[in-house]
Amino acid sequence: MIEHVVDGAKATNQIGLTRADYRGVQSTLCPGCGHMSIANQIVNACYELNLVPEQVVKFSGIGCSSKSPTYFLGRSFGFNGLHGRMPSLATGASFADTSVEILAISGDGDTASIGMGQFKHCMRRNTPMVYIVENNGVYGLTKGQYSATTEQGIQLRKYGKTKFMPVDICLEALASNATFVARSFAGDPKQVKELIKAAIKHSGVAVLDIISPCVTFHNLETSLHSYVGGKGHEVPLHDIAYVPLLDEITVDDFETGTIKEVALHDGGHIVLKKLGEDYDPFSRAQAFHILEEAHRKNWLVTGLIYVDPDEKNLHDLFNLVDTPLNRLKEEHLRPPSDMIDVANQLMQ
Amino acid sequence: MEESIANAGVATSLGCSEVSREVVNDFSITFSTINGSGSATANLTIMRAIFKMGIPVSGKNIFPSNIKGLPTWFTIRLSKDGFLGYTEKSEIVVVMNPQTFARDLATVKPGGVIFYTDEYKGPIERGDVVAYPMPVKKLAKETDIPANLRDYIENVVYIGILAQMLGIDFERIYQAFETHFQGKKKAVDSNFEVVRRAAKWAEENLEKRDPYRVAPMNLTDGMILGSGNAAAALGSIFGGIQFSAWYPITPSSSIAESLNEYLPMFRKAADGKATYAVVQAEDEISAVGMTVGAGWAGLRAMTATSGPGLSLMAEYLGLAYYAEVPLVVWNVQRVGPSTGLPTRTAQGDVTFSYFISHGDTKYIILIPSTLKECFEFGWQSLDIAERFQTPVLVLSDLDLGMNYWISAPFEYPDRPMDRGKILWEEDLEKMIERCQGKWGRYLDVDGDGIPYRTVMGNRHPRSGYFARGTGHDDFGKYTELPEDWEKGMKRLALKFETARAVLPEPEIRTLQGAQIGIIAYGTTHDAVEEARYLLKKEGILTNYLRIRALPFSKEVSQFVERHQRVYVVELNFDGQMKQVLSAEMPMLAHKLRSVAKVDGMPFSAECIVRMLLSQEERP
C-alpha cells in the first residue's frame, strides 16, 4: 500500500482521500468492544482499496453490532433495518445500482437466531455483498442474555449455564451454498483487514464470522468469544493477503510451494500462505471437515474457509441493463403510448 | 313429484307459464364441477363467447382450498342492464358433479333449469325446475380424444349442449377457443369439434322447454374482460415498476405471475436487457424487506400479498413509514382472521391496513372497484408512494383480483411519472445552494411535510445518510430528545394531511330527491348499484358515494352531512370502514348505519336491500 504524503500534509490514498474520510461518528459502544476493532479495520480496508465512500452502502439489523455502521464510512449511504431482516433490505436495494459495494453488519443474535431464515436465503441467492457477523456469543444491547452461538455450558453472569449446542455460522453458510466463507478474530486485526478486502472483491456473497469479544457481558477466558480464550485457541489456516491487480507479486515475498492464489473477478488475487497442514479453500468437503474438527478440538479456526470465485451472483441471473436501474428515466420505464392497445388486447 | 319431473311436459307446466315469455340476456348460469377437472377452460369459453356476442357478463369462481377432487362452482351472469354482481341463486345450473346434485338443485331459482350429467340417477325433487340430462361420458367417449383427456372433454361437451340450448353463437365459441389457446389451431379445432358434436346431439335429443336465451347485443364493443390481478400488474408496468418481491399466497399470487408474464413484453430495453427485477422471496417478511430496500434505493417497488402475508409485513411497513420509504403493497383480501377462508372474498383488512404496525402510523390506501381502476391505481400508486415517500396500500380482494370482470378499456396514463422530491448530484448541489448550505434528509424545506431525498449511487459527497427506524432528527442523526421525536411525528402528520387533498376523489352518484346515502367501496360496487335500482323500484331513493382512497377527502364528510342517514356497505363483520368514518368524523357518526357481513361470498344486491330495509323499518 502506497500512501502519498506531500510536505507533511495528511496521508492520502490513490484517490486523494485521508483515513478520516472513511471514519464515522464517535462510538457509543463499550471501551474495548471487539466491534470497534472491526470498524477500524473496515476503515483501513476501504482506505487501502481506494473505495469512494459514496460507492459503499452499509446495511445492518438490530443490536450492538448493527449500531456500529455509524462508526465508519460516515459519508456512505446506510440503512439500519429490522432485527434479523437486514438481508432482504440489502437484497432489494442491491438491484438499484449493482456497481456499489454492499457492506452489511450483523451480530450473532441478528443472524443466528431471529435472522437465520433471511441469512440462509441470502447465502443461497449469492447476493453480492459482504456479510460481517460480529459474533460475541451474547446479547449485549439487552444486557447479557445468551445467544445461539454461545458455547454449551458457559456460565453467564445473570442467566446461568447455557443449555444448548451452539450454531456455527460458517457451517450454516456453507450448508446454504455460500460462495465465500471466512472466520476471523477481532484480536487479529491484520487478518480481519485482509479478509474484509478479499470479501469486498469477491463477486458474490462473502460471509465473515468475526469473533468479537463483548468485554461487558461475555469475556470469560473459558469461552472462545473472549480475547484471552480466542487468542489461546486460534488456529489460523493460513496467512492471508489481498493483492490488487496492479501490485505485482514477487516470488521473494513467499516461499515457493507454500502459497495458494485465488483469482478474483476484478483481476486481484487472494494470496494464502501455508502455515501448518495444507488446506484447500476450494473444497467444500475440507471446509466441512475443518469446522467439524475445530468443534471437536475446541479450536477457533480462522482464515478463508471456503471460496468459489466463479459462481454467478444474484444480479448475473437477471440480465439487467447497464445503466443503474435507479437512474433510468420515464422513457425507459413507461411503455410508449401505442402499447396501451397491446395491454387491452391481453384482456379479452 | 318425481314422476311429474320425469315427465317433461308436466314439469314445464309446473315450472312456469313463462315459457312463452322469453328471458333474454338476463340470467345466471352456475357450473358445478370438480376442481382439477379442467372445467375452467369450458366455463371461460362460454363466458368469452357471450362477451364477444356483445352481452355484459361476469364470471365468479367459488372454489375450495384444494387442488383436485373437491366441488367447485363458477357462475356466469349475463345482464342486458349491466348488473353483474353476485347472485345467490341462478336461473340455470349445470351439474357435472353427481355428489352435489341435491345442493345444486336447491340453488336453482324457481322456474329455472338444471342441466346434469346422466351419471346422476337419483330423483329430481323439484317440480318448478326444467331438467335436462346430459350423456357427457358417452359423448366424450365418442370423440377421438386420448383417454387421459376425457375428464376434461366432458366439460367441453356441456359447452356444446348449452350453446345449442341457449343460442350461443358458435362462431363466437370458436373465437373464444382461439383466445384461450392463443391461436394454437389444432387445440382450437379439436375442442370445437367436440362442441359441434355435442350441440348436434342436443339438437336431436333435447326439446327446449325453458325461457332462457342469449341474443347478440353491442354493449361490450371496445370493452375488456379480465381479472383485477392481471390489470394491477399491467397498471404497475405502465407505472414503470422496477422491482417486485413476493411470496405465493392466494389470492394475490397472480399479480406477480402476471408481472412475470407481461414485463418481458413491455419492458425490455433495445438490447434485450431488463429494466426490472421480480424476485420470489422466502416469505412475506423478506418480500416486503426487499421491496422496502428497493424503494429506499430509488426503484419503483411493489409487493403483493393477502391477509396473513400482510400480518407478517407489519414491522417492515412501520419502518418504511417512519424512515419515509416509498413502496406499494397490493393486499388482495380474503376472509380472516388467521388462515380463515383462504379462497373466499372479503373486505376485512381495512382497519389493519390503515393503522398497520406498532406506534403511531397511518397509511395512504387506494381501493379499486373495476379492472380499469386496478390498472389506474397500478400506476398511480407508484406515483403517490414516491411523491409522499411512504408505503401505499392498494386494497383489492379475491373477487376483483381473481374473478372475471368487464370494464372500459385501459387508458394510457394522462400525466408524466411523478418521481417526487428526489435529488441527484446536480439537484442536490442546487438544493444546498438554495438553503445556504443547510441540507438534511428530513428537513421540511417546502412546508408541506415532504422532505427531499437522495438515494444510493448518488456520488455527491453530501448525498449519503444513514436511514434508520430509530429516532432521528431533520438530518437523519440519531436522537432521543423529546422535542425531536415530537417534531418528526408532527411533520409526518402534516405530510398525511397534504396527501388527503390529492388522492383519488370519491365517486358520487345521485338521484333527485334522495334523502338516504350509501357509502361503499371496492367490489361491493356492482351489488350496490343494483341494490339502488331495486330500492328505487320500492320507492326508496338513495345517493351513493364510493370511497376510492384513505385518508378521506372533505367530500366524504360533506356527503354524510347532506343526508339524514348513511348506510356503510362492506364485506366484513365489524363494519370496519364505518369504524374509520366514525373516528374521522365523530360529529357525524350518529348518522352512520352499518350494512356489513362476511360469509365468504360477495355481496348480492338482494342481500344489501334486505339488510338496509330491515334498518329502515326500525322505529
Side-chain angles (χ1 to χ4, degrees):
Chain A
M1 181 63 213
I2 307 154
E3 290 196 354
H4 303 259
V5 185
V6 184
D7 296 338
K10 276 188 178 168
T12 60
N13 61 10
Q14 288 168 10
I15 57 169
L17 297 180
T18 66
R19 252 174 239 276
D21 290 316
Y22 294 87
R23 296 211 171 97
V25 299
Q26 181 67 41
S27 169
T28 59
L29 296 168
C30 309
C33 177
H35 300 356
M36 276 322 292
S37 160
I38 297 168
N40 289 336
Q41 295 318 314
I42 291 171
V43 168
N44 289 337
C46 293
Y47 173 81
E48 290 176 18
L49 287 176
N50 303 300
L51 296 182
V52 178
E54 287 74 31
Q55 283 296 95
V56 182
V57 183
K58 306 172 289 182
F59 290 92
S60 62
I62 295 292
C64 287
S65 64
S66 298
K67 287 171 69 174
S68 72
T70 47
Y71 311 141
F72 57 84
L73 293 170
R75 274 168 55 178
S76 302
F77 279 88
F79 200 153
N80 177 205
L82 297 182
H83 199 19
R85 321 296 181 204
M86 172 275 287
S88 59
L89 196 66
T91 302
S94 76
F95 281 93
D97 184 344
T98 58
S99 71
V100 303
E101 299 295 342
I102 291 183
L103 195 49
I105 309 292
S106 181
D108 41 311
D110 198 55
T111 286
S113 285
I114 190 169
M116 185 66 106
Q118 294 218 346
F119 171 68
K120 293 180 76 86
H121 285 275
C122 180
M123 297 301 114
R124 70 182 268 267
R125 289 194 185 96
N126 204 21
T127 313
M129 66 195 286
V130 178
Y131 190 125
I132 294 175
V133 185
E134 299 182 343
N135 183 352
N136 56 14
V138 74
Y139 284 83
L141 207 51
T142 51
K143 300 195 187 252
Q145 298 85 356
Y146 49 77
S147 84
T149 63
T150 319
E151 299 108 303
Q152 193 181 29
I154 290 286
Q155 182 81 32
L156 288 176
R157 206 187 295 161
K158 274 200 299 193
Y159 294 88
K161 270 192 179 162
T162 54
K163 297 180 180 66
F164 307 114
M165 291 294 286
V167 167
D168 184 323
I169 286 166
C170 290
L171 264 179
E172 298 297 339
L174 265 181
S176 311
N177 292 300
T179 54
F180 182 116
V181 179
R183 176 166 288 152
S184 192
F185 177 50
D188 187 351
K190 181 180 170 291
Q191 189 197 49
V192 168
K193 182 180 77 179
E194 293 302 317
L195 278 171
I196 290 171
K197 284 199 226 171
I200 288 172
K201 292 301 179 181
H202 177 63
S203 72
V205 73
V207 180
L208 298 180
D209 177 23
I210 306 180
I211 305 303
S212 175
C214 172
V215 291
T216 304
F217 294 110
H218 191 199
N219 202 19
L220 292 174
E221 289 178 18
T222 48
S223 168
L224 296 184
H225 289 94
S226 67
Y227 279 115
V228 175
K231 208 166 207 74
H233 293 83
E234 185 180 0
V235 177
L237 295 172
H238 32 235
D239 253 356
I240 182 163
Y242 170 76
V243 181
L245 174 64
L246 297 174
D247 292 8
E248 203 180 321
I249 310 166
T250 56
V251 183
D252 296 347
D253 290 347
F254 297 99
E255 209 179 308
T256 319
T258 64
I259 65 164
K260 274 192 171 35
E261 284 184 27
V262 182
L264 298 176
H265 281 220
D266 71 326
H269 290 78
I270 305 169
V271 178
L272 304 171
K273 186 181 173 192
K274 183 172 151 181
L275 287 177
E277 295 288 306
D278 207 18
Y279 183 76
D280 177 10
F282 298 112
S283 162
R284 262 165 67 87
Q286 264 206 27
F288 280 114
H289 186 263
I290 194 75
L291 290 171
E292 175 58 28
E293 190 178 2
H295 175 66
R296 264 188 288 114
K297 297 183 175 166
N298 203 28
W299 290 347
L300 174 58
V301 62
T302 62
L304 182 58
I305 292 168
Y306 176 71
V307 66
D308 175 358
D310 300 324
E311 182 63 33
K312 282 198 163 93
N313 71 31
L314 175 68
H315 299 148
D316 294 334
L317 305 174
F318 281 83
N319 191 29
L320 300 173
V321 291
D322 301 332
T323 311
L325 288 191
N326 67 1
R327 290 192 188 251
L328 293 177
K329 300 264 189 296
E330 176 160 357
E331 59 265 32
H332 307 113
L333 299 178
R334 174 165 285 168
S337 59
D338 56 341
M339 290 299 280
I340 198 73
D341 298 332
V342 178
N344 280 316
Q345 276 303 315
L346 290 167
M347 302 278 109
Q348 291 295 324
Chain B
M1 283 300 273
E2 284 162 35
E3 276 173 341
S4 68
I5 296 298
N7 178 328
V10 178
T12 307
S13 65
L14 276 176
C16 37
S17 53
E18 295 177 12
V19 88
S20 55
R21 226 182 64 203
E22 281 195 323
V23 180
V24 180
N25 297 348
D26 189 17
F27 54 89
S28 297
I29 314 169
T30 293
F31 300 89
S32 167
T33 56
I34 296 171
N35 79 325
S37 70
S39 55
T41 302
N43 301 336
L44 295 183
T45 299
I46 293 172
M47 180 186 66
R48 283 204 179 96
I50 293 168
F51 172 70
K52 288 172 196 280
M53 287 177 73
I55 307 161
V57 67
S58 65
K60 292 191 193 297
N61 200 357
I62 307 295
F63 60 106
S65 181
N66 176 265
I67 298 302
K68 218 171 166 69
L70 286 185
T72 178
W73 293 269
F74 189 84
T75 298
I76 294 173
R77 183 172 182 190
L78 315 63
S79 171
K80 60 181 168 39
D81 303 313
F83 293 131
L84 296 171
Y86 171 71
T87 53
E88 289 156 24
K89 296 192 168 190
S90 288
E91 285 80 359
I92 298 173
V93 175
V94 180
V95 185
M96 291 292 286
N97 180 4
Q99 261 77 51
T100 56
F101 187 91
R103 180 175 162 187
D104 291 333
L105 183 64
T107 66
V108 184
K109 277 193 183 165
V113 182
I114 191 160
F115 289 88
Y116 65 100
T117 170
D118 64 0
E119 285 173 283
Y120 176 76
K121 308 288 185 199
I124 298 171
E125 294 180 337
R126 275 186 64 178
D128 59 342
V129 166
V130 179
Y132 299 114
M134 303 184 293
V136 287
K137 282 241 171 321
K138 180 169 160 282
L139 289 171
K141 245 181 227 168
E142 283 170 8
T143 64
D144 49 6
I145 301 289
N148 62 342
L149 287 178
R150 286 232 179 98
D151 281 357
Y152 160 72
I153 283 302
E154 286 173 24
N155 297 307
V156 182
V157 166
Y158 69 67
I159 302 179
I161 295 174
L162 253 78
Q164 178 65 32
M165 297 300 282
L166 297 176
I168 302 170
D169 189 333
F170 285 95
E171 200 178 318
R172 301 300 185 186
I173 289 176
Y174 191 86
Q175 289 168 359
F177 277 134
E178 285 184 318
T179 302
H180 186 84
F181 294 110
Q182 298 179 335
K184 287 178 202 118
K185 197 165 181 339
K186 200 175 159 209
V188 173
D189 286 342
S190 61
N191 276 274
F192 189 68
E193 177 60 18
V194 177
V195 168
R196 215 190 44 76
R197 278 165 180 255
K200 187 158 181 290
W201 175 87
E203 187 185 6
E204 289 165 0
N205 295 281
L206 294 180
E207 183 200 343
K208 175 94 174 160
R209 289 174 276 117
D210 66 80
Y212 302 104
R213 197 166 69 76
V214 298
M217 300 179 84
N218 59 2
L219 293 180
T220 64
D221 291 355
M223 295 192 79
I224 56 173
L225 169 71
S227 70
N229 283 354
L234 285 166
S236 305
I237 290 169
F238 279 77
I241 187 173
Q242 293 170 283
F243 184 84
S244 184
W246 66 292
Y247 185 74
I249 184 169
T250 305
S252 78
S253 299
S254 55
I255 290 184
E257 287 158 1
S258 299
L259 284 177
N260 281 328
E261 183 181 348
Y262 300 144
L263 272 166
M265 302 166 61
F266 289 90
R267 287 279 301 284
K268 279 263 164 74
D271 56 5
K273 292 187 174 180
T275 57
Y276 56 84
V278 179
V279 180
Q280 185 179 326
E282 63 269 30
D283 56 33
E284 286 92 344
I285 300 175
S286 181
V288 74
M290 289 184 198
T291 309
V292 170
W296 174 75
L299 299 184
R300 306 210 117 187
M302 179 267 268
T303 183
T305 191
S306 189
L310 191 68
S311 289
L312 288 176
M313 293 180 179
E315 191 182 9
Y316 248 122
L317 288 173
L319 171 64
Y321 175 80
Y322 184 55
E324 300 183 61
V325 177
L327 74 150
V328 174
V329 181
W330 278 77
N331 176 19
V332 188
Q333 298 164 98
R334 65 189 213 185
V335 179
S338 191
T339 310
L341 302 174
T343 61
R344 301 299 162 90
T345 196
Q347 297 178 315
D349 298 342
V350 175
T351 44
F352 183 52
S353 300
Y354 198 35
F355 302 115
I356 187 168
S357 203
H358 55 276
D360 294 301
T361 55
K362 43 201 170 292
Y363 298 87
I364 293 171
I365 290 179
L366 304 180
I367 311 175
S369 280
T370 64
L371 285 192
K372 193 171 179 226
E373 277 183 348
C374 284
F375 181 85
E376 284 170 3
F377 292 174
W379 62 265
Q380 288 177 11
S381 59
L382 292 163
D383 281 355
I384 293 166
E386 288 199 323
R387 175 163 178 182
F388 293 100
Q389 300 173 26
T390 196
V392 172
L393 286 93
V394 188
L395 289 191
S396 179
D397 61 28
L398 182 143
D399 190 17
L400 180 58
M402 290 183 74
N403 284 328
Y404 293 87
W405 302 72
I406 60 169
S407 159
F410 304 145
E411 284 170 25
Y412 195 69
D414 59 1
R415 60 204 107 145
M417 270 166 49
D418 184 351
R419 302 303 309 260
K421 299 181 185 178
I422 189 166
L423 304 174
W424 286 99
E425 289 84 350
E426 286 174 21
D427 315 315
L428 177 57
E429 194 55 42
K430 282 182 201 149
M431 176 59 61
I432 291 169
E433 255 172 59
R434 176 181 156 193
C435 299
Q436 280 99 47
K438 195 171 160 193
W439 154 244
R441 163 67 179 95
Y442 297 109
L443 266 177
D444 186 3
V445 177
D446 303 327
D448 57 3
I450 310 168
Y452 286 81
R453 68 178 186 132
T454 50
V455 297
M456 59 172 245
N458 189 320
R459 301 288 195 106
H460 193 290
R462 289 185 68 187
S463 64
Y465 74 103
F466 196 64
R468 55 170 97 235
T470 43
H472 48 259
D473 62 14
D474 289 348
F475 302 91
K477 301 281 181 250
Y478 183 74
T479 169
E480 295 175 357
L481 293 174
E483 57 271 28
D484 283 341
W485 182 264
E486 206 171 25
K487 190 180 176 197
M489 285 294 118
K490 280 182 179 160
R491 188 177 52 73
L492 287 169
L494 171 63
K495 188 167 84 165
F496 201 63
E497 287 309 306
T498 304
R500 193 184 288 277
V502 301
L503 298 177
E505 68 289 352
E507 184 188 74
I508 297 174
R509 297 186 182 184
T510 55
L511 289 172
Q512 189 73 40
Q515 305 286 315
I516 299 170
I518 293 177
I519 288 179
Y521 55 95
T523 46
T524 57
H525 173 66
D526 277 7
V528 167
E529 278 294 49
E530 190 177 357
R532 293 179 65 220
Y533 170 81
L534 296 174
L535 286 165
K536 191 179 163 201
K537 286 211 291 195
E538 302 279 320
I540 297 173
L541 301 176
T542 56
N543 292 332
Y544 169 33
L545 179 142
R546 181 164 67 86
I547 292 169
R548 303 201 304 157
L550 274 75
F552 307 124
S553 63
K554 61 181 187 307
E555 282 88 349
V556 179
S557 57
Q558 288 167 351
F559 180 86
V560 176
E561 221 155 354
R562 281 200 303 273
H563 292 88
Q564 287 174 356
R565 52 195 173 274
V566 174
Y567 291 91
V568 185
V569 179
E570 51 191 324
L571 205 60
N572 56 61
F573 189 83
D574 288 338
Q576 297 182 13
M577 190 63 87
K578 179 172 170 279
Q579 292 174 351
V580 175
L581 286 162
S582 301
E584 296 230 345
M585 46 190 84
M587 302 300 281
L588 298 169
H590 66 283
K591 292 188 172 196
L592 302 177
R593 295 180 178 186
S594 192
V595 174
K597 70 144 204 169
V598 64
D599 60 7
M601 299 298 161
F603 248 123
S604 68
E606 295 87 345
C607 184
I608 293 172
V609 169
R610 269 197 311 272
M611 290 178 72
L612 191 150
L613 285 182
S614 74
Q615 296 182 67
E616 279 294 289
E617 284 154 10
R618 205 180 292 161

